[in-house]
């Protein structure tokens, strides 16, 4: 295993890689970093202006069942708002979020240029050109100075097979992000523990995350894996249940429970507190049951492109 | 559902007293924008014994940080932000004569008590209806702290801005009243 590593002749124990032994791969596809930046800039506008169809459809559906007259009126405002935003090409919500960018990078892709810089260049350009609000501060505690261009993005890169680059941009508003929570449950807490944590979190959030909300839940893994799964769960269309029937029925049961809280549209009372619960799961440790709940408002925005 | 009342500014003690929690209202007139950074700066100014850049007597403050306006727009999308983050500063603002607040989400018991003492009203605007709300804004002028960008204090003229009276001047809280009506869970004792 040390074939391509040599120890210095003067025996200083410095290790270095011998370049000619690294080899070459002939089939790499080259994507220019500039093209990544342009794609990200386009996604910024698209994600912020157009409410995904599945969300619009679910609001229409649940509005028909809403028992509060005021709740119905408020949900109608959200539908009208989506129509105005799409017609005028303006943001659905003034909180155009911190940019969360998921990159699925094919292992046969070579990025010509700096990928991280390209994504942030795209965010800066998109948030500037498309008149989106810049909501990022440079330092969370001491300085808190607006960076002025909504950078940096939060990036999650995964290496996948193939020669494509998939970019998903999910702008995340903080009215809802602030209401999210992670809890490390005991395995013995089981399904009831997950339900109780869900209700606790939804009630603590109450009116703040602009209900009706969408709930992304991550179960399993480690603490940070659960949180990431919860965020990824928000990318799945909300009218599609988990492919595992156990988790699919838990999604439906949790949604019913959440809607029995009575929090309702905007927290003013009603039967539509959440539009959907999306769960993603992962194997975990024998001693653990991590649960993360990422709350999103109805503006569960995401747009994607494959380069 | 039809609006039950019209609110105009200046928003007097008498006008505030006439509103009840749960009323659906349309607001017209002047409202001032301010959110986290502006509130922090104003509280620091007051602590130094300085005057505020705006006279808030009988005024309504809207917790919002709008998007930049596109060419031809008065204001970019402009929905309410979470009011609870302003709770620490709100009693000070009420001391300065502020009569109404527009935002979204829960307020602290301290804020509700201070509102009752001063006869103030808290309105909820529809969080997420930012493009719709922007269409009710007829003028936008930054009047203080321009360096704060979206967080600067601006004077807005609004026409038929839709809002719900959530906490009235008697301290009635429509979040509690409305939710209780539709709650089908025993909130203190969950058995599944």
């Amino acid at each position: 295993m040390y074939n391509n590593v040599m120890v210095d002749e003067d025996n200083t124990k410095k290790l270095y890689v011998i370049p000619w032994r690294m080899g070459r791969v002939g089939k790499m596809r080259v994507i220019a970093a500039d093209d990544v930046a342009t794609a990200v800039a386009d996604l910024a506008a698209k994600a912020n202006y157009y409410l995904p169809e599945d969300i619009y459809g679910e609001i229409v559906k649940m509005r028909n069942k809403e028992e509060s007259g005021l709740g119905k009126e408020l949900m109608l405002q959200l539908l009208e708002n989506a129509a105005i935003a799409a017609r005028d090409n303006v943001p659905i919500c003034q909180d155009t979020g911190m940019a969360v960018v998921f990159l699925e990078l094919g292992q046969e892709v070579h990025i010509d240029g700096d990928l991280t810089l390209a994504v942030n260049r795209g965010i800066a350009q998109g948030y500037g050109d498309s008149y989106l609000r810049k909501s990022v501060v440079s330092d969370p505690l001491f300085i808190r100075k607006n960076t002025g261009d909504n950078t940096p993005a939060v990036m999650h890169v995964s290496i996948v097979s193939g020669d494509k680059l998939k970019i998903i941009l999910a702008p995340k508003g903080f009215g809802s992000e602030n209401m999210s929570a992670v809890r490390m449950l005991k395995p013995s807490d089981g399904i009831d523990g997950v339900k109780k944590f869900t209700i606790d979190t939804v009630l603590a959030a109450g009116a703040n995350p602009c209900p009706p909300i969408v709930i992304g839940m991550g179960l399993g893994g480690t603490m940070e894996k659960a949180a990431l799964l919860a965020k990824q769960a928000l990318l799945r269309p909300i009218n599609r249940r988990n492919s595992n029937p156990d988790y699919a029925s838990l999604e439906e049961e949790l949604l019913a429970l959440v809607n029995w809280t009575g929090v309702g549209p905007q927290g003013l009372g009603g039967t539509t507190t959440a539009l959907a619960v999306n769960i993603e799961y992962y194997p975990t440790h024998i001693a653990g049951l991590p649960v993360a709940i990422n709350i999103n408002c109805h503006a569960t925005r995401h747009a994607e492109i494959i380069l | 559902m039809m609006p039950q009342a019209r609110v105009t500014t200046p928003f007097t003690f008498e006008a505030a007293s006439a509103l009840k929690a749960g009323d659906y209202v349309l607001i017209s007139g002047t409202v001032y924008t301010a959110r986290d950074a502006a509130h922090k700066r104003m509280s620091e100014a007051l602590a130094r014994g300085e005057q505020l850049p705006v006279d808030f007597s009988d005024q309504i403050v809207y917790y919002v940080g709008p998007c930049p306006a596109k060419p031809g727009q008065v204001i970019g999308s402009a929905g309410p932000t979470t009011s609870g983050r302003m709770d620490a500063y709100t009693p000070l603002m009420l001391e300065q004569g502020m009569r109404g607040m527009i935002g979204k989400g829960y307020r602290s018991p301290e804020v509700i008590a201070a509102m009752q003492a001063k006869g103030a009203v808290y309105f909820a605007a529809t969080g997420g209806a930012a493009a719709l709300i922007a269409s009710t804004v007829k003028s936008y002028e930054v009047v203080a702290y321009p360096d704060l960008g979206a967080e600067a204090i601006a004077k807005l003229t609004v026409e038929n801005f839709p809002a719900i009276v959530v906490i009235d001047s008697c301290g009635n809280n429509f979040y509690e009243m409305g939710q209780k009506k539709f709650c089908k869970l025993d909130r203190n004792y969950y058995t599944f």
Side-chain angles (χ1 to χ4, degrees):
Chain A
M1 72 186 285
Y2 296 114
N3 271 352
N4 60 348
V5 177
M6 272 185 73
V7 177
D8 251 7
E9 283 172 13
D10 59 3
N11 212 15
T12 53
K13 291 183 183 170
K14 266 194 292 184
L15 296 176
Y16 60 94
V17 176
I18 302 169
W20 53 267
R21 284 195 188 165
M22 290 174 69
R24 284 178 173 276
V25 179
K27 288 200 300 183
M28 296 298 275
R29 179 172 164 248
V30 177
I31 296 178
D34 280 353
D35 291 346
V36 174
T38 306
V40 168
D42 289 347
L43 291 177
K46 198 178 161 201
N48 278 295
Y49 291 173
Y50 313 120
L51 188 69
E53 270 180 44
D54 56 301
I55 309 267
Y56 191 95
E58 232 35 41
I59 296 175
V60 170
K61 208 173 94 187
M62 298 197 64
R63 183 175 176 270
N64 290 332
K65 293 187 288 185
E66 174 57 55
E67 292 170 22
S68 157
L70 177 60
K72 267 185 154 50
E73 166 69 25
L74 298 170
M75 289 172 83
L76 183 64
Q77 286 185 13
L78 296 181
L79 295 173
E80 285 173 356
N81 183 70
I84 293 171
R87 182 195 69 198
D88 297 349
N89 293 316
V90 296
I92 301 161
C93 178
Q94 80 290 339
D95 186 352
T96 49
M98 188 163 194
V100 181
V101 180
F102 291 91
L103 298 168
E104 292 173 19
L105 180 63
Q107 58 192 14
E108 285 149 41
V109 173
H110 170 73
I111 302 291
D112 187 20
D114 187 313
L115 180 59
T116 304
L117 274 180
V119 167
N120 283 320
R121 227 166 358 106
I123 293 296
Q125 192 198 326
Y127 273 70
D129 293 353
S130 303
Y131 299 90
L132 308 178
R133 198 182 75 185
K134 289 76 179 170
S135 313
V136 174
V137 291
S138 58
D139 165 294
L141 192 56
F142 295 103
I143 316 274
R144 292 197 72 88
K145 186 174 165 26
N146 198 306
T147 60
D149 59 7
N150 219 53
T151 65
V154 172
M155 287 171 65
H156 301 291
V157 185
S158 52
I159 308 293
V160 298
S161 61
D163 64 352
K164 303 273 194 289
L165 172 65
K166 183 174 182 181
I167 309 171
I168 306 172
L169 173 58
K172 191 64 172 77
F174 261 55
S176 56
E177 192 74 354
N178 281 338
M179 298 294 122
S180 303
V182 178
R183 193 172 292 174
M184 305 303 280
L185 295 180
K186 291 195 276 289
S188 62
D189 291 330
I191 298 167
D192 284 355
V194 172
K195 289 178 183 170
K196 187 172 187 323
F197 176 47
T198 307
I199 299 301
D200 284 352
T201 306
V202 168
L203 285 178
N208 291 14
C210 308
I213 56 176
V214 176
I215 298 174
M217 177 179 284
L219 279 168
T222 48
M223 186 193 75
E224 88 286 3
K225 178 68 178 176
L228 185 56
L229 287 171
K231 183 76 82 210
Q232 284 167 327
L234 293 170
L235 302 175
R236 194 206 314 154
I238 63 169
N239 50 13
R240 213 174 74 207
R241 303 275 53 82
N242 194 299
S243 56
N244 177 323
D246 288 338
Y247 288 93
S249 67
L250 181 61
E251 287 176 341
E252 282 167 6
E253 205 178 337
L254 287 174
L255 179 63
L257 279 174
V258 163
N259 285 334
W260 286 343
T261 59
V263 168
Q266 301 294 321
L268 295 166
T271 53
T272 319
T273 303
L275 299 171
V277 179
N278 280 8
I279 302 176
E280 297 297 336
Y281 65 96
Y282 196 78
T284 191
H285 191 277
I286 47 175
L289 175 50
V291 188
I293 294 177
N294 197 189
I295 294 188
N296 212 355
C297 57
H298 89 285
T300 295
R301 297 161 288 191
H302 46 91
E304 62 180 64
I305 189 171
I306 297 174
L307 295 182
Chain B
M1 192 176 159
M2 293 301 288
Q4 284 133 324
R6 288 180 183 277
V7 170
T8 52
T9 61
F11 187 42
T12 60
F13 176 83
E14 290 72 23
S17 306
L19 297 176
K20 290 285 157 260
D23 286 352
Y24 179 25
V25 302
L26 296 175
I27 302 169
S28 298
T30 299
V31 302
Y32 289 95
T33 73
R35 50 172 290 158
D36 308 51
H39 275 83
K40 182 165 188 279
R41 212 176 267 192
M42 286 194 284
S43 81
E44 287 164 358
L46 289 171
R48 289 191 301 264
E50 294 168 16
Q51 280 217 315
L52 294 185
V54 173
D55 178 5
F56 286 102
S57 310
D58 287 347
Q59 296 302 325
I60 296 176
V61 171
Y62 180 23
Y63 302 139
V64 61
C67 282
K70 280 185 154 182
Q73 271 190 314
V74 172
I75 191 170
S77 295
T81 195
T82 309
S83 309
R85 293 196 317 274
M86 267 51 80
D87 281 356
Y89 311 108
T90 300
L92 275 175
M93 295 295 292
L94 290 166
E95 285 295 327
Q96 296 296 310
M98 174 180 71
R99 183 77 58 201
M101 294 155 278
I102 309 171
K104 54 129 175 151
Y106 300 151
R107 309 309 302 262
S108 68
E110 293 76 20
V111 166
I112 296 174
M115 285 173 58
Q116 268 181 277
K118 295 285 173 187
V121 168
Y122 171 51
F123 302 94
T126 305
L132 179 74
I133 291 170
S135 70
T136 72
V137 178
K138 302 306 168 190
S139 77
Y140 170 86
E141 181 199 351
V142 173
V143 291
Y145 312 146
D147 59 300
L148 294 180
E151 295 203 62
I153 297 179
K155 183 179 179 178
L156 307 185
T157 310
V158 297
E159 222 173 81
N160 296 330
F161 181 117
I164 314 292
V165 177
V166 182
I167 300 168
D168 64 26
S169 57
C170 300
N172 296 308
N173 187 338
F174 193 70
Y175 283 132
E176 289 170 6
M177 296 154 66
Q179 292 184 18
K180 202 173 275 179
K181 204 169 145 192
F182 294 96
C183 181
K184 293 165 190 160
L185 287 176
D186 183 340
R187 289 189 173 193
N188 299 313
Y189 185 67
Y190 308 116
T191 46
F192 295 111

